[in-house]
Amino acid sequence: MSVRKTPLIIDTDPGIDDAVAIGAALHHESLDVKLLTTVAGNVSVDKTTQNALKLIEFFGTGTPVARGARQPLCMPYEDSSHIHGESGMGGYEFPEPTTSIHSEHAVNAIRETIMRSEEKITLVPIGPLTNIALFLAMYPELKSRIERIVLMGGSASAGNHTQTAEYNIYADPEAAKMVFASGLDITMVGLDVTSKATLTPDNVVKIRDLNETGNMLYSMFQHYRGGSLKTGLKMHDLCAIAYIVKPELFKTQKYFVDVESAGVYTVGTTIVDQNNRYNKEPNVNVCLDIDVDAFRTWAIECIAKAK
């Protein structure tokens, strides 16, 4: 009996942990990645697009890649190369990609993919939310054809880019504010779980020996400053894929969530109203905890399925 596949569009800014998430999604038997769209985030959009093409050619899936926003809606662009390195995916020598990018901008490519799909599409943004906000603003009539949004970003507690803000939300807070207010079914897979979802040094060595993909990821992990090779590497973006295929790993609660888009010290903060202080209708399913051991087992199983 064939397994029903969930159609996805992954909006991404590769990024080393993005590469892990993309590899897992492309090879999971219950997922059908229809399109990768790129955004300025960890590094510039030209670099994230090149990185996405390199990954698609490495995995040999032929998944289309569309280049998206070069700048946040209002904020000055601020990359995260101090975490992912100058190229975004250092440590492994990929051949220069020969595949052409999609002829349309990411926003129009998302529209085209949704229009062609017989089923509703799940959007999986694992970078800043610029493309998603632009799509919702330009094509609001297509919201009914989106199954849900499962995004990596935000926090119900502390931040990682500033004291209170997680990077993906901080990078384009106006876009995030628009997405959270869209009325769509949204799950926020934020730092409350992604900072716990680490791969241990033993896990990393095991991954190296699994296959060619494991060796590629192991090489990049040596250059990844999202955690430590000694204490554990944080698999932020992979958690969004895990939530889609294995939601039982997570403890979640629905809350009203908004984004602070102004303020000298608080811009990019996700306001998660856990005490119902604002008396507003909950709009986001917030991930609060994760079964870390089960996540690690699942992550290794996913990488073992790749080339």
Side-chain angles (χ1 to χ4, degrees):
M1 186 174 70
S2 61
V3 177
R4 178 191 173 274
K5 293 194 171 189
T6 300
L8 306 181
I9 294 173
I10 299 178
D11 189 67
T12 180
D13 59 339
I16 293 170
D17 62 323
D18 302 71
V20 184
I22 290 166
L26 290 173
H27 294 93
H28 200 280
E29 64 275 5
S30 69
L31 301 178
D32 179 11
V33 182
K34 299 287 190 182
L35 174 70
L36 291 183
T37 54
T38 60
V39 66
N42 290 322
V43 287
S44 72
V45 74
D46 290 334
K47 290 179 180 178
T48 63
T49 304
Q50 280 291 99
N51 289 344
L53 290 171
K54 288 175 181 178
L55 290 169
I56 291 303
E57 290 196 3
F58 177 88
F59 292 124
T61 60
T63 309
V65 174
R67 180 165 48 212
R70 293 184 175 276
Q71 295 280 346
L73 297 182
C74 301
M75 287 270 286
Y77 169 56
E78 187 174 327
D79 72 19
S80 191
S81 58
H82 61 288
I83 300 294
H84 296 267
E86 187 63 28
S87 72
M89 290 195 327
Y92 185 83
E93 291 299 319
F94 292 93
E96 282 302 303
T98 58
T99 305
S100 298
I101 62 170
H102 197 290
S103 59
E104 295 281 352
H105 185 279
V107 172
N108 290 325
I110 292 171
R111 175 188 179 274
E112 175 187 294
T113 303
I114 288 175
M115 291 290 290
R116 287 181 177 177
S117 178
E118 295 180 0
E119 298 181 70
K120 291 185 177 184
I121 295 280
T122 295
L123 300 181
V124 189
I126 54 177
L129 289 162
T130 316
N131 290 332
I132 306 303
L134 289 171
F135 169 77
L136 294 174
M138 291 176 66
Y139 303 112
E141 71 278 7
L142 295 182
K143 283 167 63 173
S144 63
R145 301 185 71 162
I146 297 171
E147 182 69 31
R148 59 178 173 162
I149 295 175
V150 178
L151 64 92
M152 189 276 124
S155 171
S157 50
N160 66 349
H161 193 70
T162 70
Q163 187 68 26
T164 59
E166 180 274 330
Y167 173 75
N168 286 345
I169 305 300
Y170 174 90
D172 196 340
E174 287 82 9
K177 191 177 186 74
M178 290 170 63
V179 172
F180 283 129
S182 67
L184 289 166
D185 181 348
I186 297 174
T187 295
M188 184 179 95
V189 188
L191 297 179
D192 306 279
V193 295
T194 70
S195 292
K196 299 176 185 176
T198 60
L199 295 177
T200 69
D202 287 345
N203 295 151
V204 171
V205 171
K206 187 172 184 178
I207 285 167
R208 177 192 64 188
D209 298 331
L210 286 175
N211 49 29
E212 190 178 349
T213 296
N215 180 63
M216 177 266 287
L217 294 175
Y218 177 85
S219 298
M220 291 200 296
F221 288 159
Q222 313 307 305
H223 295 256
Y224 178 42
R225 291 179 287 280
S228 164
L229 277 170
K230 293 182 178 179
T231 59
L233 295 175
K234 297 173 184 177
M235 295 294 104
H236 297 289
D237 293 334
L238 183 58
C239 287
I241 306 302
Y243 181 82
I244 294 168
V245 300
K246 212 168 177 63
E248 64 271 19
L249 294 178
F250 298 83
K251 175 186 175 184
T252 64
Q253 182 68 44
K254 198 159 189 181
Y255 293 115
F256 171 71
V257 178
D258 200 354
V259 177
E260 184 62 69
S261 57
V264 175
Y265 302 111
T266 59
V267 64
T269 303
T270 40
I271 309 302
V272 180
D273 189 12
Q274 298 183 67
N275 298 316
N276 197 29
R277 182 166 297 175
Y278 303 112
N279 197 29
K280 292 193 175 185
E281 193 70 26
N283 61 333
V284 176
N285 188 42
V286 179
C287 293
L288 297 172
D289 206 355
I290 184 171
D291 183 335
V292 175
D293 289 339
F295 170 82
R296 289 168 176 159
T297 299
W298 173 83
I300 293 169
E301 289 171 354
C302 281
I303 295 167
K305 295 173 184 175
K307 65 181 272 188

